[in-house]
């Protein structure tokens, strides 16, 4: 067994935008894996048979959603200057997924996916419902607590009293602009589309047997945090970066 | 009508949220060539979805070469999946090239890969979506020149009406010449017809519109093609063959896809051609002679490719990778060089002897997937007929070696309906499987825990042009089914799993392999009946093909199963890979007598005719041996 005790954990923040918003989570993972290989940073590989790069990601984004701040933690076998590692990674990554900050974090921190349990979202959609209707419906939904929805063939449920932290509905030109704050837990996380679909189903009359038509949304995850027991929000990047 | 060159991504983008796998349509991959300044624009199309087409080696080679030519730019195009194609039609968006998102119909040259027969309706679909007239004869002066090339050009008559020109053989030099010819012609203001005439003067280029199809007593019902008087087009178009294969860029494969593609790895083509001479194999006859890259070139290219793509697997590709005279050295060195970075080296399906297994063991990798062999026929007699030069002993030794090396599952590929096949040969397939099972149980141990299993995958033989079996008819469906049942009923052990390739797909494939130019009406009618993506099991509809045939008064089974007398002129004789008809006939007679023919790379020339005809030679970098130990 190789000695892994001197490996260091580099946290990298990257965006997901432009055309690449349409990548699925696995496609993002695959692309970043290959970018890391191309960058020639001294990445560590696991001991398993497949010898994968030691790499962990923040929670999956829905296909089509962009993001201002996604994160991965990469184990390195040498402690490069973070700025140097960032330069190498940026030079080998497609611009739509370009990394823009890097810093070392404690190896003892839990895995990113579970640790980053708070997120902020911005959603734009055509303005065919009144902002106050949407606002009122969100309140109703949250007061009702549990939201049931279908994911493929399976019925899922999520507790909105915990998962939906807050929202704001405004207008911008022809668009409706929603800001959502969500909280994830072991019981799942709330995707904006689910909440909006549920709200629109209440507001709009059902459209024949197909139900309400799917509204084209532009979803962007604008930030992610770790929420401590006492409600404090901790930024993912430890340094002065933010 | 030639469409305007303009970026139409904004028309496609609103559709992306409504289709499965939008990453098929994104472009901007690592390694894609985004500067597309032209002024001469070529689009290379693969007539299937992105994830099938992207790994294609031929297309990568030509993309990389054309983009290096001054004044020329080359983009890629793939066929959108049915969901996107339907949306594009509904929203009036024409088919777009990837890099610039401009309409395919705005390009100067549009080139199609002829991948296999079952992609025929996809070519119609691609042209229709592009809004390029499907028939070459209907194209206007300034429409794109539509060309084709690739592994399946060897009876291109059924698709020929769609193409202004078809390239036979290696494209590295010829495609550049073709594009230059079109470019010069356009600049000089030559009429389209003159440009086509000029194209026909380039060796390897077949211009279908310059040939008439004649049906007479000397031919089959599909006739043969003769040059129109006064055109000066060659009676027989001989393929292009690149002698200096080792002088070509070993690393054209540079685009790194976002999505999971069919072969998600770096590929290095380590040799071209295969002279083992299996008598059913069209690739074996049409890619001759064998040309190898030297070991150092392969190793360096693989390492460089891994560095620039970031892939974690490199595959050494060719028709018969383990035949490379330096195969062992390449695998050994490459493995040693890249293993530490968690990179895997892989080779395509294995040679059926001990050496093949040694090489599989050398590359390591997961043994869970099992090891794949292709004996093709069950009995030694029939293997001799098809010239699959492996003996029972080879198979036994290979299997024993594999079990000893830790493999537990064997997958065996066979064909049914091979010429001279009898029920004994079918039953023999089970005997081979059973025998391997026994070897496995002896080596590994008995009982369900040992995990030893053998699976058999059985395809229906499809007679192909320019092979010694080109005169054969295909077995009729009813008889195919009877033999399949026979195989099932004589299967001696539960640990043997039998699966079949869809016989109806093979029937359509045989029809398209046999027909002449009249085959186009069938393809077009099938497409009108809704056929597309015929190579996809869930999309293929035999009923639609039958409806199309009925509409034209054709009987598919009849066409596929008709034997052709040896003295007839064949519909594909004017497009030649250089293998002589005399050799094919001789091979046919030897097959009938069960006499095998050697691999010329291991012994000496067996007189197929390619080398003298094309003025080329085998290019083997080391020593080849039939039976490596
Ligand atoms: S070994 Fe036989 S089947 Fe395989 S490529 Fe060569 S000739 Fe074809
Ligand atoms: S001409 Fe002879 S050496 Fe050349 S490929 Fe044919 S059999 Fe082999």
């Amino acid at each position: 067994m190789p000695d892994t005790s001197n490996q260091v954990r580099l946290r990298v923040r990257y965006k997901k935008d432009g055309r690449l918003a349409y990548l699925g989570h696995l496609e993002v993972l695959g692309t970043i894996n290959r970018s890391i290989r191309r960058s020639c940073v001294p990445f560590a590989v696991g001991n398993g048979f497949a010898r994968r790069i030691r790499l962990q990601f923040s929670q999956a984004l829905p296909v089509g959603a962009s993001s201002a701040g996604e994160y991965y933690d990469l184990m390195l076998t040498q402690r490069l200057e973070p700025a140097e590692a960032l330069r190498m990674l940026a030079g080998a990554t497609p611009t739509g997924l370009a990394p823009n900050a890097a810093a070392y974090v404690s190896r003892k921190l839990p895995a990113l996916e579970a640790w980053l349990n708070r997120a902020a979202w911005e959603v734009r959609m055509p303005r065919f419902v009144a902002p106050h209707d949407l606002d009122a419906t969100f309140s109703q939904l949250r007061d009702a607590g549990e939201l049931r929805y279908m994911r493929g063939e399976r019925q899922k449920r999520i507790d909105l009293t915990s998962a939906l932290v807050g929202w704001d509905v405004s207008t911008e030109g022809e668009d409706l602009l929603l800001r959502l704050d969500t909280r994830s837990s072991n019981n799942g996380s709330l995707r904006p589309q689910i909440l909006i679909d549920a709200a629109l189903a209440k507001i709009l009359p059902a459209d024949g047997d197909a139900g309400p038509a799917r509204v084209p949304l532009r979803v962007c995850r604008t930030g992610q945090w770790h929420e401590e027991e006492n409600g404090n929000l901790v930024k993912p990047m430890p340094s002065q970066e933010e | 009508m030639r469409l305007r060159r303009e970026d139409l991504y904004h028309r496609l983008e609103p559709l992306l949220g409504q289709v499965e796998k939008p990453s098929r349509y994104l472009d901007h991959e690592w390694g894609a060539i985004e500067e597309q300044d032209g002024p001469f624009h070529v689009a290379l199309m693969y007539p299937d979805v992105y994830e099938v087409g992207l790994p294609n080696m031929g297309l990568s080679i030509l993309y990389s070469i054309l983009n290096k030519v001054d004044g020329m730019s080359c983009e890629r195009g793939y066929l959108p999946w049915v969901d996107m194609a339907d949306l594009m039609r509904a929203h009036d968006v024409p088919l777009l090239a990837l890099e610039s998102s401009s309409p395919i119909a705005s390009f100067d040259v549009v080139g199609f890969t002829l991948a296999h027969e079952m992609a025929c309706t996809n070519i119609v679909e691609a042209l229709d979506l592009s809004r390029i007239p499907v028939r070459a004869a209907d194209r206007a002066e300034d429409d794109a020149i539509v060309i084709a090339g690739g592994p399946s050009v060897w009876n291109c008559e059924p698709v020929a009406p769609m193409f202004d020109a078809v390239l036979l053989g290696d494209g590295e030099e010829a495609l550049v010449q073709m594009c230059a010819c079109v470019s010069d012609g356009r600049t000089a203001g030559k009429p389209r017809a003159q440009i086509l005439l000029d194209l026909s003067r380039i060796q390897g280029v077949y211009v279908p519109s310059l040939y008439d199809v004649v049906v007479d007593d000397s031919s089959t019902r599909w006739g043969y093609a003769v040059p129109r008087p006064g055109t000066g087009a060659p009676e027989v178009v001989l393929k292009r063959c690149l002698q200096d294969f080792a002088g070509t860029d070993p690393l054209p494969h540079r685009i790194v896809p976002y999505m999971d593609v069919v072969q998600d790895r770096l590929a290095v083509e380590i040799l071209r051609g295969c002279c083992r001479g299996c008598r059913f194999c069209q690739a074996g006859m049409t890619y001759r002679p064998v040309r190898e890259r030297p070991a150092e070139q392969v190793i360096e290219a693989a390492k460089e490719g891994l560095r620039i793509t970031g892939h974690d697997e490199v595959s050494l590709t060719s028709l018969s990778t383990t035949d490379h005279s330096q195969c062992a050295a390449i695998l050994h060195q490459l493995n040693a060089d890249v293993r530490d970075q968690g990179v895997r080296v892989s080779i395509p399906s294995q040679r059926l002897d001990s050496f093949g297994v040694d090489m599989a063991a050398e590359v390591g990798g997961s043994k869970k997937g099992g090891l794949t062999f292709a004996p093709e026929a069950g009995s030694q007699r029939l293997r001799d007929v098809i010239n699959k030069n492996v003996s029972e002993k080879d198979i036994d030794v290979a299997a024993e070696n594999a079990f000893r090396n830790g493999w537990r599952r064997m997958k065996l590929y066979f064909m049914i309906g091979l010429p001279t096949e009898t029920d004994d040969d079918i039953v023999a397939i089970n005997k081979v499987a059973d025998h391997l099972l026994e070897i496995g149980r002896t080596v590994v141990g008995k009982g369900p825990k040992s995990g030893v299993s053998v699976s058999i995958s059985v395809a229906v033989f499809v007679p192909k042009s320019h092979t010694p079996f080109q005169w054969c008819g295909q077995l009729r469906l009813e008889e195919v089914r009877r033999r399949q049942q026979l195989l099932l009923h004589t299967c001696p052990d539960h640990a043997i799993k039998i699966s079949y390739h869809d016989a109806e797909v093979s029937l359509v494939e045989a029809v398209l392999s046999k027909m002449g130019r009249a085959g186009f009406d069938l393809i077009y009618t099938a497409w009108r009946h809704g056929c597309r993506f015929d190579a996809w099991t869930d999309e293929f509809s035999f009923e639609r093909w039958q409806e199309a045939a009925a509409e034209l008064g054709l009987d598919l089974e009849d066409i596929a199963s008709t034997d052709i007398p040896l003295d007839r002129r064949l519909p594909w004789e004017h497009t030649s890979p250089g293998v002589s008809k005399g050799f094919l006939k001789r091979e046919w007679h030897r097959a009938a007598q069960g006499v095998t023919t050697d691999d010329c790379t291991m012994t000496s020339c067996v007189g197929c005719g390619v080398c003298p005809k094309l003025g080329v030679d085998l290019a083997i970098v080391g020593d080849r041996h039939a039976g490596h130990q």
Side-chain angles (χ1 to χ4, degrees):
Chain A
M1 270 249 173
D3 179 17
T4 61
S5 59
N6 53 4
Q7 291 183 2
V8 284
R9 178 167 172 181
L10 183 74
R11 177 159 298 169
V12 177
R13 185 180 67 207
Y14 65 99
K15 60 174 186 169
K16 181 189 180 212
D17 70 5
R19 298 181 181 208
L20 298 200
Y22 288 100
L23 296 187
H25 188 55
L26 289 177
E27 295 169 339
V28 171
L29 265 52
T31 302
I32 288 180
N33 260 282
R34 288 185 282 247
S35 303
I36 291 168
R37 284 185 183 278
R38 287 192 294 262
S39 74
C40 297
V41 297
F43 58 84
V45 289
N47 298 318
F49 177 76
R51 312 217 66 201
R52 291 185 219 288
I53 296 180
R54 297 191 62 193
L55 178 65
Q56 289 182 326
F57 287 85
S58 51
Q59 276 178 30
L61 266 180
V63 176
S66 60
S67 172
E70 295 298 294
Y71 298 87
Y72 60 81
D73 282 356
L74 169 66
M75 300 303 289
L76 297 180
T77 57
Q78 288 167 37
R79 200 180 178 95
L80 293 187
E81 271 304 307
E84 173 65 0
L86 183 63
R87 189 191 60 76
M88 293 168 79
L89 289 165
T93 310
T95 36
L97 295 174
N100 48 34
Y104 289 103
V105 297
S106 162
R107 288 184 57 176
K108 297 203 188 76
L109 282 181
L112 266 174
E113 192 174 354
W115 193 68
L116 289 179
N117 50 2
R118 284 285 297 271
W121 305 85
E122 228 175 65
V123 182
R124 274 164 212 279
M125 55 190 259
R127 191 164 145 187
F128 52 75
V129 290
H132 57 87
D133 281 348
L134 202 55
D135 192 68
T137 315
F138 284 161
S139 294
Q140 276 174 30
L141 284 169
R142 189 165 66 172
D143 293 346
E146 186 179 80
L147 173 66
R148 290 165 189 246
Y149 62 97
M150 297 301 289
R151 182 138 184 218
E153 302 285 285
R154 299 224 325 261
Q155 199 189 49
K156 305 268 246 172
R157 52 186 70 186
I158 186 147
D159 177 12
L160 290 186
T161 48
S162 158
L164 181 57
V165 180
W167 67 88
D168 174 66
V169 184
S170 59
T171 57
E172 202 179 271
E174 293 296 293
D175 286 345
L176 269 184
L177 180 62
L178 323 180
R179 292 199 180 83
L180 300 175
D181 283 314
T182 61
R183 179 187 290 117
S184 58
S185 69
N186 291 339
N187 301 324
S189 57
L190 175 66
R191 295 190 160 198
Q193 179 96 47
I194 301 298
L195 180 69
I196 292 164
D197 283 352
L200 293 180
K202 279 182 174 293
I203 302 172
L204 299 173
D207 178 13
D209 48 14
R214 262 227 136 149
V215 177
L217 304 180
R218 287 193 183 270
V219 177
C220 180
R221 181 145 73 188
T222 49
Q224 300 188 73
W225 297 269
H226 170 66
E227 184 180 43
E228 295 181 323
E229 295 277 321
N230 61 10
N232 271 352
L233 293 189
V234 183
K235 288 174 181 172
M237 293 310 262
S239 66
Q240 64 286 5
E241 289 292 340
E242 289 179 293
Chain B
M1 196 191 63
R2 183 87 164 257
L3 297 183
R4 203 151 57 86
R5 186 175 169 83
E6 57 182 332
D7 184 343
L8 293 184
Y9 184 72
H10 63 280
R11 306 264 317 271
L12 194 71
E13 215 247 312
L15 310 180
L16 290 176
Q18 306 172 49
V19 296
E20 67 174 71
K21 304 190 188 177
S23 42
R24 284 168 171 154
Y25 313 104
L26 294 182
D27 180 58
H28 288 42
E29 306 102 312
W30 193 262
I33 299 171
E34 301 298 338
E35 303 81 49
Q36 292 288 337
D37 301 335
F40 190 79
H41 294 280
V42 183
L44 292 182
M45 299 274 315
Y46 194 91
D48 206 316
V49 280
Y50 175 89
E51 63 266 35
V52 176
L54 184 97
N56 184 266
M57 180 59 84
L59 210 131
S60 307
I61 293 173
L62 301 172
Y63 176 80
S64 136
I65 289 183
L66 281 177
N67 274 310
K68 283 184 191 138
V69 178
D70 248 0
M72 286 187 198
S73 298
C74 177
E75 306 186 31
R76 297 161 295 148
Y78 304 95
L79 189 61
W81 186 244
V82 293
D83 56 353
M84 182 58 116
D86 293 349
L87 276 173
M88 289 172 81
R89 284 199 174 91
H91 290 83
D92 201 27
V93 184
L95 187 56
L96 307 179
L98 271 191
E99 280 77 358
S100 67
S101 299
S102 46
I104 294 290
S106 71
F107 281 76
D108 295 297
V109 168
V110 176
F112 279 88
T113 304
L114 292 186
H116 48 77
E117 287 79 3
M118 300 315 284
C120 288
T121 56
N122 278 6
I123 298 173
V124 185
E125 173 80 349
L127 288 169
D128 185 74
L129 263 182
S130 302
R131 304 190 196 152
I132 297 174
V134 172
R135 287 181 182 78
D138 297 338
R139 284 180 201 137
E141 265 302 320
D142 68 339
D143 272 329
I145 301 281
V146 182
I147 63 176
S152 190
V153 293
W154 299 109
N155 173 23
C156 65
E157 281 306 295
V159 289
M162 293 190 278
F163 297 114
D164 294 297
V166 179
L167 171 66
L168 312 178
D170 297 332
E172 278 91 345
E173 294 167 354
L175 183 61
V176 177
Q177 290 168 358
M178 290 173 79
C179 290
C181 173
V182 176
S183 174
D184 293 349
R186 291 292 197 196
T187 311
K190 287 186 187 174
R192 190 180 185 90
Q194 182 60 46
I195 295 177
L196 298 188
L197 272 181
D198 292 352
L199 280 170
S200 75
R201 301 298 188 268
I202 300 173
Q203 196 221 311
V205 178
Y206 167 52
V207 178
S209 60
L210 303 182
Y211 294 74
D212 286 322
V213 174
V214 179
V215 184
D216 62 25
D217 288 349
S218 72
S219 73
T220 70
R221 62 191 277 208
W222 311 115
Y224 55 93
V226 287
R228 289 205 175 142
T231 59
E235 248 167 70
V236 173
V237 181
L238 272 178
K239 80 166 179 185
R240 283 298 278 266
C241 183
L242 191 75
Q243 174 70 64
D244 189 17
F245 171 64
T248 62
D249 175 12
L251 208 53
H253 212 251
R254 288 171 184 243
I255 297 180
V256 186
Y258 295 116
M259 73 182 302
D260 250 349
V261 297
V262 173
Q263 287 133 6
D264 206 355
R265 53 181 96 99
L266 174 71
V268 178
E269 187 188 18
I270 74 166
L271 65 93
R272 198 172 282 178
C274 172
C275 285
R276 291 201 157 234
C278 303
R279 291 175 178 135
F280 55 84
C281 177
Q282 193 183 44
M285 293 297 157
T286 56
Y287 279 97
R288 289 165 181 237
V290 174
R291 291 144 289 162
E292 298 181 343
R293 289 190 194 283
E296 316 80 67
Q297 190 189 30
V298 172
I299 294 165
E300 282 317 307
K303 289 199 289 194
E304 166 78 357
L306 289 167
R307 203 182 56 69
I308 60 178
T309 61
H311 279 296
D312 59 3
E313 181 176 347
V314 51
S315 173
L316 305 179
T317 65
S318 75
L319 289 173
S320 53
T321 294
T322 46
D323 281 340
H324 192 292
S325 57
Q326 298 169 327
C327 180
I330 294 173
L331 289 179
H332 196 74
Q333 184 63 46
L334 193 54
N335 242 329
D337 290 353
V338 301
R339 203 178 346 216
D340 280 351
Q341 297 135 41
V343 171
R344 206 167 100 64
V345 183
S346 63
I347 50 178
S349 62
Q350 310 305 323
R351 208 163 99 182
L352 242 178
D353 57 22
S354 193
F355 180 73
V357 177
D358 285 347
M359 292 303 100
E362 175 77 46
V363 299
S366 166
K367 301 201 159 124
K368 271 188 283 176
L371 208 52
T372 302
F373 293 125
E376 308 291 3
S379 69
Q380 190 61 49
R381 183 199 71 80
L382 193 52
R383 281 197 299 275
D384 289 345
V385 168
I386 63 176
N387 206 41
K388 192 87 206 170
N389 279 323
V390 290
S391 65
E392 233 126 88
K393 182 153 171 272
D394 289 331
I395 302 178
D396 290 0
V397 175
E400 190 176 330
N401 190 355
F403 286 120
R404 281 197 199 292
N405 267 294
W407 277 281
R408 295 294 172 264
R409 287 166 50 187
M410 298 289 147
K411 184 157 193 190
L412 304 172
Y413 285 100
F414 291 97
M415 277 190 275
I416 57 175
L418 287 162
T420 77
E421 182 179 85
T422 65
D423 285 1
D424 289 345
D425 299 306
I426 302 288
V427 176
I429 293 177
N430 276 321
K431 288 193 185 138
V432 173
D434 195 37
H435 189 55
L436 293 197
L437 207 54
E438 206 181 293
I439 294 176
R441 285 170 178 165
T442 312
V443 174
V444 185
K446 286 196 176 55
K449 279 228 183 76
S450 75
V452 173
S453 76
V454 176
S455 61
I456 314 178
S457 170
V458 190
V460 181
F461 165 64
V462 179
K464 291 280 164 91
S465 62
H466 299 289
T467 68
F469 292 164
Q470 62 181 347
W471 295 278
C472 302
Q474 189 181 47
L475 202 62
R476 285 188 162 268
L477 272 183
E478 196 186 333
E479 180 60 14
V480 168
R481 300 219 161 97
R482 189 190 66 80
R483 292 189 197 180
Q484 288 176 339
Q485 285 306 311
L486 176 65
L487 187 64
L488 278 177
H489 290 139
T490 53
C491 179
D493 200 303
H494 291 308
I496 301 176
K497 290 176 198 66
I498 302 180
S499 63
Y500 293 111
H501 189 75
D502 187 344
E504 290 165 346
V505 176
S506 305
L507 169 57
V508 173
E509 189 184 339
V511 168
L512 297 173
S513 304
K514 294 219 155 229
M515 288 178 86
R517 206 171 280 194
F520 179 68
D521 291 336
L522 177 64
I523 294 168
Y524 190 78
T525 311
W527 172 78
R528 271 207 298 101
H529 281 264
C531 291
R532 53 182 167 170
F533 289 106
D534 292 308
W536 293 69
T537 314
D538 291 344
E539 300 295 314
F540 176 77
S541 159
F542 187 53
E543 292 69 39
R544 289 185 191 148
W545 277 97
Q546 280 179 310
E547 284 163 24
E551 192 177 315
L552 298 167
L554 297 170
D555 179 335
L556 297 178
E557 273 205 82
D558 216 42
I559 297 170
S561 62
T562 306
D563 289 318
I564 306 173
L566 251 57
D567 57 359
R568 291 293 160 83
R569 291 182 79 160
L570 302 168
W572 48 82
E573 271 175 22
H574 58 299
T575 50
S576 166
V579 173
S580 74
K581 197 171 183 183
F583 174 76
L584 296 179
K585 279 188 184 161
R586 193 162 78 233
E587 281 296 288
W588 168 243
H589 289 304
R590 286 168 77 98
Q593 294 156 8
V595 180
T596 60
T597 299
D598 283 337
D599 177 339
C600 64
T601 65
M602 317 250 182
T603 53
S604 58
C605 179
V606 296
C608 80
V610 167
C611 294
K613 188 86 188 173
L614 300 173
V616 290
D617 245 320
L618 296 172
I620 311 293
V621 292
D623 274 330
R624 284 192 169 199
H625 305 287
H628 288 260
Q629 285 312 309

